[in-house]
Amino acid sequence: MTTIHTGQTASLKALLSREGRLDPYPHYAGLHRLGPVCVLPDPADRFDVVVHGYDAVQQALRDPALHVMTGDYPDRRGAQRWRAHAALRTLVKSIFFTEGPDHSRVRRLFAQAFTARRVAALEPAVVRIIERRLDRLAELGAHGEPVDLLAEFALPVPSDVVGELLGVPEDDRDWFPARVRAFGAILDLGVGVWRYQQAADTAAAELTGYFAELVAKRRAEPRDDLVSVIVHGDGELADDELLANLLTMYNGGFVTTTHLIGNGLVLLLNRPHEIKQVLADPRFAAGFVQEVLRHEPPTHFSIRWASADTVLAGVRVPRDSRVLVLLGAANRDPRQFPDPDVFDPDRDQGQPMSFGMGVHYCLGAVLSRIEGQLALPMLLRRFPDLALAAEPGERHTLMLRGYETLPVTLS
Ligand code: HEM
């Protein structure tokens, strides 16, 4: 029988410092030395428990007593100010922050877009989108000048793919990246994110306005896209729910995959001996992408709260606890992945936690893997001499973690 105990104590201070955000991995290793779950006694941490062991993370994401941050949670704590912010209202209305029957209803509707058949049908469009963006890169770098691969490829490719999925017309797609990034800036940990709130609210209002028009058009004249499927399907969605989900789907499907491509490219350029294998062998490319997801995931955490007392890996988690689930740390748990800091595409030691687990498991996991598995080889096949032109812009966030810029030369 497992004994229940109060757990070792830890602090997030070093992890959330500038140095910790730039390189969180030594801090994850420190947490692993303390056990799979720790309590956080310092109120400045703004969480009560941190879960970082691989098995404990799976347990937390499947525990029915632990919930995503539904609106009830801040309301119960008397923190009402979220209602004044368009971006927070949008998040709270979306699938990401919904629970129970409401969550199942919305998830069932949106899952229609991600059936194996629909995702496979999207693959030729993904190839076309990548080719078009490669042509544009070739124009920009034709005379050997550096090009920002993040702005010109890793951002627009997944943005175009989600646009294609939802039915956003091609001519409108370049409007999205700046707004989606402004919206996403508030998702990181720490009080500092409040400074991005106003820009996020403006972006939320603009994106909501855009989707309201798109929904009206597809109601009048359906096409073969997700918005049409949803507005003409049997499911019931209130207008604000529909718009919040279209917006967060765009957000969740896009900058995450951007960083899968960007983080993956830098790893690949640092491992020239593996480029040939990635180009020649789709199975190796799939293993490579899987290892990028483990080693440098675009999302390092999820957040939960406890509606009842529960126990995680033997540690008591009292009702109302705020729980930080460190997916990025689970991926470096030495009990699951021996020599966790070594990048090894041939590993076969279990799924990384990068797409989460349980009822909120990422709906776009298959699609984003396909994007990564196509984009990296297509990029290096087209530009075999592609090289970094300068240090990539640094990574200082744990959510949507990836380079700010990626200057490269193509020839
Ligand atoms: C590498 C790329 C991606 C990563 C790392 C990622 C990561 C995640 C994670 C960790 C969650 C679970 C959040 C939680 O449990 O609190 C999630 C949920 C979700 N993701 Fe992704 N995602 C990626 C790509 C995509 C794409 C391409 C789409 C759609 C086009 C998408 C749509 C969603 C949706 C709708 C959910 C919410 C599911 C639910 O709450 O039931 N994601 N994603």
Side-chain angles (χ1 to χ4, degrees):
M1 203 178 93
T2 332
T3 47
I4 299 174
H5 53 98
T6 49
Q8 293 264 20
T9 57
S11 157
L12 298 178
K13 195 167 177 199
L15 172 66
L16 298 186
S17 67
R18 179 176 160 71
E19 163 275 327
R21 286 170 195 267
L22 285 172
D23 183 10
Y25 300 110
H27 303 283
Y28 294 163
L31 287 171
H32 287 308
R33 283 192 290 275
L34 296 173
V37 175
C38 290
V39 293
L40 301 166
D42 183 353
D45 282 338
R46 300 169 87 231
F47 289 93
D48 304 298
V49 175
V50 58
V51 185
H52 42 277
Y54 184 83
D55 292 339
V57 162
Q58 299 205 25
Q59 200 193 336
L61 295 177
R62 290 184 158 135
D63 187 331
L66 296 183
H67 309 275
V68 293
M69 287 289 169
T70 50
D72 314 351
Y73 181 74
D75 287 353
R76 274 171 60 162
R77 296 176 74 97
Q80 312 279 355
R81 69 176 167 170
W82 67 272
R83 288 181 198 282
H85 295 285
L88 299 178
R89 285 196 306 273
T90 303
L91 282 171
V92 164
K93 272 278 161 207
S94 78
I95 185 170
F96 288 87
F97 293 95
T98 312
E99 286 282 343
D102 279 343
H103 174 258
S104 317
R105 174 174 53 85
V106 175
R107 186 163 169 115
R108 224 179 4 256
L109 269 179
F110 277 88
Q112 299 172 71
F114 298 98
T115 58
R117 189 182 61 80
R118 267 205 171 252
V119 174
L122 211 57
E123 203 170 312
V126 177
V127 170
R128 261 197 323 277
I129 284 167
I130 295 173
E131 276 169 352
R132 220 174 24 236
R133 293 292 173 174
L134 290 175
D135 291 345
R136 173 79 185 132
L137 273 182
E139 275 168 37
L140 291 169
H143 303 293
E145 53 283 75
V147 181
D148 181 2
L149 194 111
L150 203 91
E152 301 299 341
F153 185 77
L155 274 165
V157 165
S159 169
D160 290 353
V161 171
V162 191
E164 181 78 25
L165 177 79
L166 297 185
V168 171
E170 256 176 66
D171 287 350
D172 294 352
R173 291 181 194 164
D174 284 341
W175 181 84
F176 278 83
R179 285 163 182 85
V180 174
R181 291 189 92 187
F183 181 80
I186 54 165
L187 300 178
D188 209 29
L189 290 178
V191 280
V193 299
W194 278 103
R195 68 178 178 276
Y196 305 121
Q197 189 65 52
Q198 201 179 351
D201 288 338
T202 306
E206 288 175 356
L207 288 161
T208 303
Y210 179 91
F211 281 119
E213 274 183 37
L214 186 67
V215 164
K217 283 184 196 151
R218 295 298 183 268
R219 276 209 171 107
E221 212 179 300
R223 300 220 184 134
D224 182 24
D225 58 37
L226 178 63
V227 173
S228 306
V229 168
I230 290 186
V231 298
H232 293 280
D234 312 326
E236 280 168 41
L237 272 187
D239 278 357
D240 57 349
E241 253 181 342
L242 171 60
L243 297 177
N245 278 302
L246 292 176
L247 198 163
T248 47
M249 182 80 57
Y250 212 109
N251 191 74
F254 153 29
V255 189
T256 45
T257 313
T258 293
H259 294 318
L260 170 62
I261 297 172
N263 295 349
L265 179 69
V266 174
L267 281 161
L268 192 52
L269 292 176
N270 285 327
R271 310 172 64 78
H273 53 288
E274 279 165 6
I275 293 180
K276 250 196 203 144
Q277 279 170 285
V278 165
L279 293 183
D281 179 358
R283 276 187 48 194
F284 186 86
F288 190 91
V289 166
Q290 171 89 337
E291 183 65 347
V292 175
L293 284 163
R294 183 193 72 83
H295 196 264
E296 281 295 353
T299 43
H300 275 231
F301 65 89
S302 283
I303 291 171
R304 297 291 189 266
W305 69 278
S307 62
D309 291 351
T310 187
V311 175
L312 293 175
V315 174
R316 191 189 314 281
V317 176
R319 177 171 189 251
D320 273 342
S321 295
R322 296 158 298 178
V323 180
L324 177 64
V325 183
L326 280 177
L327 309 171
N331 289 354
R332 300 274 186 131
D333 183 346
R335 293 173 199 87
Q336 181 70 24
F337 301 105
D339 293 326
D341 298 334
V342 173
F343 184 90
D344 175 6
D346 290 323
R347 274 182 200 273
D348 189 10
Q349 294 151 346
Q351 288 296 321
M353 285 298 108
S354 319
F355 292 117
M357 167 93 359
V359 291
H360 288 278
Y361 181 75
C362 177
L363 275 176
V366 174
L367 176 61
S368 57
R369 278 181 207 274
I370 289 178
E371 290 180 64
Q373 287 164 22
L374 288 170
L376 290 175
M378 285 176 72
L379 181 62
L380 286 158
R381 199 168 289 125
R382 180 77 170 263
F383 304 112
D385 298 323
L386 188 146
L388 285 176
E391 278 298 303
E394 60 186 26
R395 292 180 287 197
H396 48 71
T397 48
L398 295 176
M399 180 56 84
L400 304 179
R401 179 179 173 78
Y403 298 104
E404 284 291 296
T405 54
L406 257 182
V408 298
T409 48
L410 303 174
S411 57

